[in-house]
Amino acid sequence: MIQIENVEKRYGDFTLTVSLEVKEGQITGLIGKNGAGKSTTIKAILGLIQPDAGTVTVFGKKVSELQTADREAIGVTMADSGFSNYLTVSDVIGIQKRMYASFDETFFRSFCEKNKMPLNKPLKEFSTGMKVKIKVLSAISHQAKCLILDEPTTGLDVAARNEILDMLRNYMEQDPGRCILITSHISSDLENLCDDVYMIDGKVLLHEDMDVIISQYGILKMDERQYQQLDKAYILSTEKGRYGVRCLTNQRQFYVENYPGIVIENGNIDELILSIGK
């Protein structure tokens, strides 16, 4: 549903070169350290910036060719944006009704009632978690076919994060033809939500299915002597420090079976960022 092919964008000394795809029926994660190009990628998809090279297509159309109905089928939350704190939920409903012909007011009001969100209370009096719920609710309440979410759970406690993730799961369950592109620095959120993940740092460093990362990736810990004897055919990155050697592998079971003397831990997104990013 979203296709980025050889997109390039230059900002001074920084150049982003990226290709990725968000498929129908899937939730795709976009990870990387700050300044890696995640927000630039999202802005290119939304047509907020013009790439220096490459193409971006959404729903099979170039971004510049999207019609009003196509744009209404995209739901967006950005990390540094939101509704004014002086607006009430009723004000937000009015805005959504004017912006989106397909806005489902009944669904919006029902969700607010279920979550005890007073309609006439200014947003500045809401908790951080409630404000994020309003942002995500606004993105999904106009029958969007594609969600683009930039750090939607940042700053939330565990309970609030789980509630946001449940909203996104329910959104996908209602229509198998939908998709989500989500960025987050909270690895557990992505591991519990995404079907696949792209890691970028100016370019794509890794694209992998989430179940493969969880089931096959691992961290090997050993001393220098063990490292010298190690078969390095399946090592993706190596870090040597004062207390030994750490290696990232995408074939954890191979080392479990052949090197019982070294410490082997399960892989996760945090380890990918730390190991591949270096």
Side-chain angles (χ1 to χ4, degrees):
M1 296 180 80
I2 299 175
Q3 186 84 40
I4 298 179
E5 296 183 356
N6 302 315
V7 162
E8 184 174 300
K9 184 64 179 179
R10 293 179 292 274
Y11 290 110
D13 295 334
F14 175 77
T15 299
L16 172 69
T17 305
V18 62
S19 296
L20 63 81
E21 181 179 11
V22 184
K23 297 180 180 180
E24 181 178 316
Q26 290 198 337
I27 303 176
T28 294
L30 183 61
I31 64 174
K33 62 186 181 181
N34 290 334
K38 301 187 298 297
S39 294
T40 300
T41 301
I42 287 177
K43 289 177 181 178
I45 296 171
L46 298 176
L48 299 177
I49 61 172
Q50 180 63 41
D52 299 314
T55 59
V56 181
T57 58
V58 181
F59 309 135
K61 301 177 181 179
K62 292 183 179 180
V63 173
S64 60
E65 298 172 351
L66 293 177
Q67 302 299 310
T68 300
D70 299 318
R71 295 187 181 277
E72 287 193 7
I74 303 172
V76 181
T77 70
M78 301 295 285
D80 55 356
S81 66
F83 295 104
S84 167
N85 281 329
Y86 295 97
L87 295 176
T88 65
V89 175
S90 291
D91 294 329
V92 173
I93 291 174
I95 292 170
Q96 294 290 99
K97 289 171 65 174
R98 288 190 291 272
M99 288 184 63
Y100 300 104
S102 57
F103 173 63
D104 189 341
E105 183 176 353
T106 300
F107 168 75
F108 195 104
R109 288 181 178 275
S110 175
F111 183 92
C112 291
E113 181 179 353
K114 180 180 178 181
N115 287 269
K116 298 180 173 58
M117 296 180 179
L119 298 184
N120 297 313
K121 186 177 182 179
L123 295 182
K124 65 181 180 180
E125 298 180 18
F126 280 43
S127 67
T128 301
M130 287 290 194
K131 292 178 183 177
V132 173
K133 284 183 184 179
I134 290 294
K135 286 175 62 174
V136 175
L137 178 61
S138 297
I140 67 178
S141 61
H142 54 86
Q143 311 302 316
K145 300 290 289 184
C146 174
L147 287 187
I148 299 175
L149 310 174
D150 188 16
E151 303 285 350
T153 59
T154 296
L156 303 183
D157 60 30
V158 174
R161 293 204 328 265
N162 286 337
E163 290 173 353
I164 297 298
L165 297 181
D166 284 342
M167 291 177 67
L168 300 180
R169 294 188 187 98
N170 291 335
Y171 161 85
M172 291 295 293
E173 290 172 358
Q174 291 170 5
D175 184 346
R178 293 172 169 173
C179 74
I180 298 176
L181 175 64
I182 181 172
T183 73
S184 179
H185 284 98
I186 303 173
S187 60
S188 59
D189 288 354
L190 298 183
E191 289 167 0
N192 293 325
L193 184 70
C194 294
D195 297 292
D196 65 332
V197 64
Y198 285 85
M199 179 179 176
I200 66 173
D201 188 4
K203 61 182 179 180
V204 176
L205 301 179
L206 175 79
H207 175 223
E208 192 67 90
D209 288 343
M210 188 60 70
D211 58 354
V212 171
I213 293 174
I214 294 173
S215 64
Q216 297 182 23
Y217 279 64
I219 298 296
L220 316 180
K221 297 181 179 180
M222 69 209 83
D223 58 31
E224 182 64 31
R225 179 186 61 81
Q226 292 171 317
Y227 176 70
Q228 294 302 325
Q229 298 173 352
L230 190 74
D231 184 338
K232 302 175 181 61
Y234 307 111
I235 298 300
L236 301 180
S237 68
T238 300
E239 179 185 358
K240 295 185 178 181
R242 293 175 56 189
Y243 302 103
V245 183
R246 289 166 49 95
C247 298
L248 175 70
T249 178
N250 59 356
Q251 295 293 333
R252 185 177 71 228
Q253 191 60 33
F254 170 81
Y255 294 99
V256 169
E257 295 174 356
N258 293 283
Y259 295 90
I262 65 176
V263 176
I264 303 176
E265 299 176 350
N266 293 345
N268 55 50
I269 289 179
D270 284 340
E271 293 292 353
L272 291 182
I273 295 175
L274 289 173
S275 300
I276 296 181
K278 291 182 179 179

